[in-house]
């Protein structure tokens, strides 16, 4: 990288800490004030920094506008897919990615199981809102009034004996999911299918998507599938970090993950 470009880019994280004067910028870069001033003027011309009335510099509005535009144009599926594929390679089970749009939760990506017995699901297909693990995560993140309104207008078909029976039970389940940060569907939609899911979060901490691992009982039991939850959560965290532009956090020790069906 050009030394000039490198120095100019080094100014931005400095100003992210707060406004700084010319001398502070020069000292941080290890350059003469005239060099720092030249770099600041160039960044100012492009709207990336702003000179305040007290002669200190701060990040410019153009930088925030560019960041917002980049986030709006970022495809969470494109970011997530390599992570989903790697998880599928490790565990062998079906991996899904879903989003909440206009009152429905839709699958937007799927990596097929490597086993002969597979789930019937397809990209673009709505999921069963009252039982699907990905739906629970996405709806649990809604503001409380909206969450309650959604729960009260839903129907509650009894797909199996483990299906959610009514709105009060669903709201209790969403509260639990919201607190623990993950969700399951253990035979709630189909007796023979179990699923564990984790949220993908944007830069503001809100849930923008949910990913899951699903498998039939003939391949693994519900208890065996639950042991994959730490991997699922780490994968979701990695997607969140990349989608939000954050650096990856250290992996959490599996021993600290406590899971109960």
């Amino acid at each position: 990288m050009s030394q000039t470009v490198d120095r100019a880019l080094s100014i931005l994280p400095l100003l992210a800490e707060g406004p700084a004067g010319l001398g502070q910028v020069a000292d941080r870069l290890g350059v003469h004030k005239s060099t720092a001033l030249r770099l600041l003027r160039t960044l100012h011309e492009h709207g990336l920094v702003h000179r305040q009335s007290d002669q200190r510099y701060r990040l410019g509005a153009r930088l925030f506008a560019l960041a917002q535009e980049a986030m709006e144009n970022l495809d969470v599926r494109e970011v997530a897919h390599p992570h989903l594929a790697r998880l599928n390679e490790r565990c062998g089970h079906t991996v899904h990615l879903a989003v909440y749009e206009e009152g429905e939760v839709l699958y937007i990506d799927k990596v097929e199981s490597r086993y002969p017995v597979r789930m019937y699901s397809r990209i673009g297909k709505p999921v069963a809102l009252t039982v699907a693990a990905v739906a629970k995560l996405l709806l649990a993140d809604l503001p409380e009034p909206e969450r309650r309104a959604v729960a009260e207008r839903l129907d509650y078909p009894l797909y199996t004996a483990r299906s959610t029976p009514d709105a009060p039970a669903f709201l209790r389940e969403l509260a639990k999911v919201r607190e623990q940060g993950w969700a399951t569907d253990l035979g709630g939609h189909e007796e023979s299918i179990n699923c564990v899911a984790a949220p993908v979060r944007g830069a503001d901490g809100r849930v923008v998507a949910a990913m899951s691992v699903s498998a039939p009982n003939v391949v693994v039991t519900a208890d065996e599938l639950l042991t994959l939850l730490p991997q699922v959560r780490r994968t979701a965290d990695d997607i969140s970090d990349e989608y939000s532009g954050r650096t990856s956090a250290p992996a959490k020790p599996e021993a600290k993950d406590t899971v109960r069906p």
Side-chain angles (χ1 to χ4, degrees):
M1 181 184 294
S2 162
Q3 186 179 50
T4 300
V5 175
D6 182 64
R7 285 171 172 170
L9 293 177
S10 297
I11 293 173
L12 299 179
L14 166 61
L15 298 185
E17 299 172 7
L22 177 60
Q24 291 175 275
V25 174
D27 289 344
R28 178 69 70 91
L29 297 181
V31 298
H32 193 274
K33 285 185 179 181
S34 62
T35 301
L37 181 59
R38 185 170 63 253
L39 295 171
L40 286 164
R41 282 176 174 170
T42 300
L43 292 172
H44 182 270
E45 289 172 3
H46 289 275
L48 302 181
V49 304
H50 175 76
R51 188 180 183 185
Q52 301 180 159
S53 58
D54 62 1
Q55 310 307 311
R56 292 189 301 166
Y57 293 85
R58 61 172 172 77
L59 294 179
R62 177 61 177 157
L63 187 63
F64 296 106
L66 288 171
Q68 181 63 33
E69 185 176 351
M71 288 300 299
E72 290 174 356
N73 291 323
L74 190 60
D75 182 354
V76 67
R77 180 185 180 278
E78 183 178 349
V79 172
H81 186 78
H83 297 275
L84 304 181
R86 282 193 291 271
L87 179 60
N88 171 265
E89 288 174 4
R90 291 196 299 270
C91 71
H93 306 309
T94 302
V95 183
H96 286 107
L97 183 71
V99 296
Y100 180 61
E101 291 183 353
E102 298 181 358
E104 292 185 321
V105 173
L106 307 170
Y107 289 131
I108 61 171
D109 200 4
K110 177 184 180 181
V111 185
E112 289 279 9
S113 165
R114 65 168 175 253
Y115 299 105
V117 180
R118 294 183 174 182
M119 287 183 58
Y120 174 71
S121 59
R122 57 183 172 82
I123 296 173
K125 180 183 178 181
V127 309
L129 290 179
T130 60
V131 290
V134 289
K136 293 173 187 176
L137 282 165
L138 290 159
L139 296 179
D141 192 61
L142 296 175
E144 196 277 335
E146 186 177 354
R147 192 163 69 242
R148 184 170 295 277
V150 169
E152 291 175 351
R153 70 169 177 260
L154 289 176
D155 295 323
Y156 291 85
L158 296 178
Y159 302 104
T160 75
R162 292 194 173 195
S163 298
T164 308
D166 51 36
F170 190 50
L171 287 169
R172 289 194 296 272
E173 177 69 8
L174 294 185
K176 175 184 174 183
V177 167
R178 188 180 178 92
E179 180 180 359
Q180 68 190 14
W182 49 271
T184 62
D185 170 14
L186 305 180
H189 190 218
E190 297 179 57
E191 289 279 5
S192 62
I193 301 292
N194 298 303
C195 176
V196 293
V200 174
R201 299 182 184 275
D204 60 358
R206 298 297 304 273
V207 176
V208 297
M211 58 150 298
S212 65
V213 170
S214 305
N217 285 329
V218 294
V219 175
V220 292
T221 66
D223 287 343
E224 289 170 336
L225 188 67
L226 284 166
T227 64
L228 296 177
L229 182 58
Q231 291 187 53
V232 175
R233 298 183 73 182
R234 281 197 297 273
T235 299
D237 287 345
D238 288 343
I239 297 169
S240 300
D241 288 341
E242 184 175 342
Y243 182 75
S244 303
R246 298 189 297 262
T247 55
S248 297
K252 300 175 183 177
E254 292 189 24
K256 293 185 178 179
D257 286 287
T258 301
V259 180
R260 294 185 177 85

